[in-house]
Amino acid sequence: MHEGILAGIRVVEIACGIPGPAAGLLLSEAGAEVIRIEAPGSDAEQGTALFSVLNRGKRRVELDLDRDDERRRLHTLLADADVLIHDFIPSRAAALGLADDVLAAACPQLVVSAITGWPSRHPLAEALPRESLVLARLGLLDEQPGHRPGPIFVRMPFASWLAAWFCVIGVMARLIARRRDGRGGAAHTSLAQAALAPMSMHWSRAETPTPVFAKGLDKTTPIPLHRCFDGRWIHVHYSPDKAPWMAEALVAMGPEAVAAENAKYPPSHVAPNFGANRVIIATRPAQEWVEHFWQHDVAAQVAAPFGEIYRDEQARANGFVVMVDDPVLGRVFEPGPAYTTAPPPRLRGGLRPLESDPAWSVPRAQAFDGAPKGQPGSAPLAGLRVLDLGAYLAGPFATQLLADLGAEVIKVEPPGGDAMRRLERIFAGTQRGKLGATLKLGDPAAQPALAALVRWADVVHHNVRLPAAHKLSIDYETLKAINPALVYCHISSYGPLGPRKDWPGFDQLMQAACGWEVECGGEGKPPMWLRFGVGDYLAALSSVFALLLAHFQRQVTGDGQAVAASLLGATLLTVGEAVMRADGSLSPIDHLDAAQTGVSPDHRLYRCADGWLAVAALRPEEARALAALAGSDREAWFAALSRETACDCLTSAGVPCEAVLENPGLSFLDDDGCRRAGLHAAYPHAVYGHLEQVGAYWNFCDLPLALDRAPPALGEHSHRVWRSVGLDEGQIQSMVAAAVTNP
């Protein structure tokens, strides 16, 4: 059996919840040895399906870090480790001897990733890392549409899952930089930074915006979730009007009736006949509609119950669903690895028992052999060359992250522009840091330029459907013949294998398939799309992790490879809150209430006299304090108090809470605490003038990020790019004359 790309890497994990344990799982299944430190009897999550999923295959060691002798054992372990992942607030980390400066002196080889609630320079750096409270403070709960006015409790813990991926990408970037610099260091991230990633497509401000940029895409935009004849709901992405059943029904309705139905809803950028589509879709059962749409290349999915995806043929064909023998849960179906590399990630067994007396002296299979090579100072991925051939959101956001980390990224788009340019604010949110060039892929006159780009690149990344990629001559075999050492990364919708491997798909459809639209709607209510586009961002992040693994291996072997990620695989990992038993039943999960206020009296939103308050009493002692304070009629207790008074009472009693920011608009960009924490980025743009956007997703302390180049205007750097990859002026003018690039 293969060892995995990270064989020989030792990771120490001290974290609860989702982000840290999920990050440890990802590193473990990539080949690292992960040692999880657990406090005696402290983890209330033990025994749950999520705990078993996130901690399978790891060594579990019990240590009481409040005891001096146990802390010394931890530091002995860290002296021989490569990576530490923890979720301690800064003061707690310092008390345990885990402050950055202390670890840098004692363990210079160690890569440290702290996943906190907020960045260390933010005023809330000492706040407990509770996702719902972070979303409340940022205003994201009021950015989510719901079945009622006001802020909505977000059922899917998307920021926690995104934070896990940001963590492992930061770790990989640091491990790559460690080979260059001869030392480890920080690779921190936070729930706030992860939560802000999807807002990169919404929260930006321009000095001279175009009307389209200024308008953006707000939460009132109708989402094409349609109720069918059998009461089930389907999500249809883009217009279904050309599918025969729909086309025939629209003609039968007549233009006046179609216009009347459409007028009942705000205009939709994805479905011009949104209202009429709703009426027509209500005439047939859901499965009939999706099968008809699939036959005619219309992207659609049934909004399935949570956990139903475990039965899915496509998910199983790609290993996104796996059978695990768990000592607590028995034989169950769980989420499998979300990406592919060579060698592939692999399961390392079910949940292991705690080790009461671990063999601390057992050396690693491969100790770090680096030596100090001078003062580090370059961005983590400085020198990496990336060719971005993607479009829409998942592909371009992935390459933007590589640019943030210091890679040189060239974005290639058609002379008419990326299809996402029509949604200017969303487009700009996935393109910063890149040099932009235009090229008409597939045209014979463009082939010399494409070959020059591929010879220049270390990495090619795209999310074009593979049949189209072959037609455009950007498939792996074609590009590998030009550059054998290439790391080629592809994002698909449904995964690289199985009957749907070449189907169209979008974030919304993966939310529907994985049950999140049903869960986000609330019990007994219609399903609701989570507006933050999490499937796209999860897929983007998983693709970056996969390609960094491949690059890490190539630094040793010199060999390139093709790696893959997908919307379905990355989204399905989040279904790990539940597992499917061998008899087909599902382990229980918490459901969002019908009012969309929360999942329990201890973890929900309450309306005070002057606004909403989020409460996250997740520990038993916090829940007891809340019960003692608010009594049995909690809604009445909160309604009688101002938000400030209620928050003061709760905080004094030790109950974590946060006022919910409503109508946030662009207040984030005016927040000085966020600015000081590095959460803003600003630069001059060729069209928009001074442009402000969401900023840093990591803090590497002694290594800078590259957040100084605005998203490119169409063809802004074409001439510069062609000269940099070796084309002469005659070749460039020939391309312009052939209309395969812009002047």
Side-chain angles (χ1 to χ4, degrees):
M1 184 175 290
H2 67 82
E3 289 190 298
I5 291 174
L6 295 184
I9 296 293
R10 174 175 284 178
V11 179
V12 176
E13 171 204 310
I14 318 173
C16 59
I18 292 173
L25 176 68
L26 294 170
L27 295 172
S28 171
E29 295 186 346
E33 176 196 18
V34 177
I35 302 173
R36 173 178 168 80
I37 306 299
E38 298 179 11
S42 67
D43 204 327
E45 300 160 339
Q46 294 197 33
T48 66
L50 183 61
F51 185 89
S52 287
V53 170
L54 295 183
N55 295 300
R56 65 191 182 202
K58 303 174 185 175
R59 289 180 58 190
R60 298 170 58 217
V61 174
E62 189 172 85
L63 284 181
D64 183 352
L65 298 183
D66 289 320
R67 290 175 45 183
D68 290 344
D69 60 330
E70 300 283 70
R71 281 199 305 279
R72 284 194 293 271
R73 298 178 86 184
L74 170 63
H75 284 272
T76 298
L77 179 59
L78 294 178
D80 196 38
D82 297 284
V83 178
L84 168 65
I85 296 171
H86 71 79
D87 61 0
F88 296 124
I89 59 176
S91 60
R92 176 64 172 161
L96 295 175
L98 302 179
D100 288 341
D101 56 345
V102 173
L103 288 175
C107 309
Q109 86 291 347
L110 192 65
V111 172
V112 184
S113 184
I115 312 175
T116 51
W118 298 83
S120 60
R121 290 177 290 167
H122 194 278
L124 293 174
E126 290 290 326
L128 291 174
R130 304 282 169 88
E131 176 167 341
S132 54
L133 304 187
V134 172
L135 299 186
R137 178 62 176 250
L138 283 171
L140 268 66
L141 299 182
D142 203 40
E143 286 279 0
Q144 169 64 10
H147 300 308
R148 58 166 175 79
I152 302 298
F153 187 97
V154 174
R155 173 60 186 86
M156 182 187 189
F158 74 95
S160 293
W161 287 104
L162 291 173
W165 287 108
F166 277 117
C167 170
V168 295
I169 290 169
V171 166
M172 288 306 305
R174 251 305 180 179
L175 288 173
I176 290 166
R178 188 176 75 165
R179 285 178 169 164
R180 176 192 70 198
D181 300 331
R183 68 193 74 203
H188 304 320
T189 190
S190 68
L191 290 173
Q193 287 162 294
L196 285 168
M199 299 315 295
S200 64
M201 61 178 168
H202 299 301
W203 286 356
S204 56
R205 181 164 55 198
E207 178 185 17
T208 55
T210 65
V212 173
F213 184 97
K215 181 181 179 182
L217 198 64
D218 65 32
K219 69 178 184 180
T220 64
T221 301
I223 299 301
L225 265 164
H226 303 292
R227 184 183 175 96
C228 300
F229 182 76
D230 56 358
R232 302 183 77 190
W233 293 74
I234 61 171
H235 200 134
V236 184
H237 197 84
Y238 287 131
S239 173
D241 294 354
K242 292 183 179 180
W245 289 353
M246 182 61 66
E248 293 164 6
L250 289 170
V251 171
M253 282 184 73
E256 291 185 4
V258 168
E261 293 298 335
N262 291 342
K264 296 177 181 179
Y265 301 92
S268 168
H269 73 283
V270 296
N273 289 315
F274 180 87
N277 294 155
R278 288 182 75 82
V279 172
I280 294 166
I281 287 174
T283 64
R284 294 177 185 266
Q287 194 62 33
E288 288 186 14
W289 271 120
V290 295
E291 289 180 4
H292 179 73
F293 287 148
W294 292 343
Q295 289 169 7
H296 298 282
D297 207 38
V298 175
Q301 282 286 161
V302 173
F306 195 86
E308 186 67 22
I309 192 66
Y310 284 130
R311 306 180 194 276
D312 186 82
E313 173 189 17
Q314 182 70 18
R316 293 191 178 190
N318 284 280
F320 302 152
V321 171
V322 293
M323 176 75 83
V324 176
D325 284 316
D326 186 276
V328 177
L329 305 173
R331 178 166 289 187
V332 293
F333 291 103
E334 298 182 0
Y339 63 91
T340 58
T341 55
R346 65 178 179 90
L347 270 67
R348 308 181 78 171
L351 187 70
R352 299 186 187 183
L354 277 169
E355 300 178 33
S356 58
D357 187 22
W360 295 100
S361 61
V362 175
R364 289 179 294 155
Q366 175 184 322
F368 173 61
D369 60 0
K373 301 171 184 176
Q375 291 296 322
S378 300
L381 298 184
L384 185 69
R385 294 176 169 182
V386 178
L387 176 57
D388 172 9
L389 301 176
Y392 293 98
L393 203 157
F397 186 73
T399 51
Q400 175 178 289
L401 295 179
L402 295 171
D404 284 359
L405 291 165
E408 184 177 355
V409 180
I410 293 176
K411 174 181 176 58
V412 171
E413 57 186 312
D418 185 321
M420 191 61 86
R421 278 194 181 269
R422 64 190 177 83
L423 300 174
E424 294 183 23
R425 199 183 295 192
I426 296 177
F427 177 84
T430 62
Q431 305 296 343
R432 73 155 169 243
K434 305 176 187 179
L435 296 172
T438 58
L439 188 65
K440 188 178 181 181
L441 295 173
D443 191 304
Q447 287 304 109
L450 175 61
L453 286 166
V454 173
R455 285 192 293 270
W456 166 88
D458 301 304
V459 172
V460 169
H461 189 290
H462 74 85
N463 57 334
V464 178
R465 283 198 270 173
L466 288 182
H470 281 87
K471 291 180 181 178
L472 298 173
S473 298
I474 58 170
D475 57 284
Y476 177 56
E477 292 304 322
T478 298
L479 301 191
K480 179 184 177 182
I482 299 170
N483 182 351
L486 200 64
V487 170
Y488 179 97
C489 184
H490 179 246
I491 299 177
S492 64
S493 296
Y494 288 94
L497 303 172
R500 281 176 274 164
K501 64 185 178 68
D502 296 325
W503 281 21
F506 298 85
D507 154 70
Q508 298 94 321
L509 306 186
M510 304 309 149
Q511 290 190 36
C514 291
W516 284 116
E517 290 196 329
V518 169
E519 292 303 319
C520 286
E523 288 191 288
K525 292 296 181 71
M528 180 65 67
W529 175 54
L530 183 60
R531 179 175 177 248
F532 307 120
V534 292
D536 283 313
Y537 290 90
L538 290 165
L541 288 160
S542 61
S543 77
V544 174
F545 181 58
L547 77 84
L548 291 182
L549 286 170
H551 178 56
F552 184 77
Q553 179 168 266
R554 179 177 56 186
Q555 288 182 314
V556 175
T557 66
D559 298 328
Q561 62 169 286
V563 303
S566 69
L567 297 174
L568 178 60
T571 307
L572 200 151
L573 184 59
T574 68
V575 182
E577 288 189 29
V579 297
M580 181 175 282
R581 304 181 184 97
D583 64 2
S585 63
L586 201 69
S587 62
I589 64 168
D590 292 329
H591 298 285
L592 182 63
D593 62 19
Q596 296 179 297
T597 61
V599 295
S600 76
D602 302 323
H603 192 196
R604 58 162 287 185
L605 308 181
Y606 286 97
R607 189 195 291 270
C608 296
D610 58 349
W612 291 83
L613 194 68
V615 175
L618 305 186
R619 296 173 180 167
E621 64 273 19
E622 297 165 352
R624 289 191 294 269
L626 175 59
L629 189 65
S632 58
D633 192 350
R634 297 188 184 183
E635 291 196 3
W637 185 85
F638 280 94
L641 301 175
S642 71
R643 193 161 55 178
E644 182 178 2
T645 300
C647 195
D648 287 344
C649 293
L650 292 166
T651 302
S652 297
V655 178
C657 63
E658 186 64 69
V660 179
L661 177 63
E662 298 184 55
N663 302 310
L666 296 179
S667 59
F668 161 75
L669 293 172
D670 295 320
D671 188 307
D672 193 54
C674 289
R675 180 191 59 79
R676 292 197 308 272
L679 302 183
H680 297 169
Y683 12 67
H685 187 275
V687 176
Y688 306 135
H690 183 73
L691 178 63
E692 299 170 78
Q693 296 184 298
V694 172
Y697 298 114
W698 300 274
N699 175 14
F700 289 91
C701 294
D702 61 326
L703 301 185
L705 292 168
L707 305 177
D708 55 357
R709 177 180 289 155
L714 182 61
E716 180 179 354
H717 308 107
S718 290
H719 195 276
R720 173 179 170 181
V721 165
W722 304 136
R723 294 305 297 265
S724 70
V725 299
L727 301 186
D728 61 34
E729 196 63 32
Q731 290 174 298
I732 296 170
Q733 292 309 313
S734 294
M735 291 166 57
V736 171
V740 297
T741 191
N742 292 346

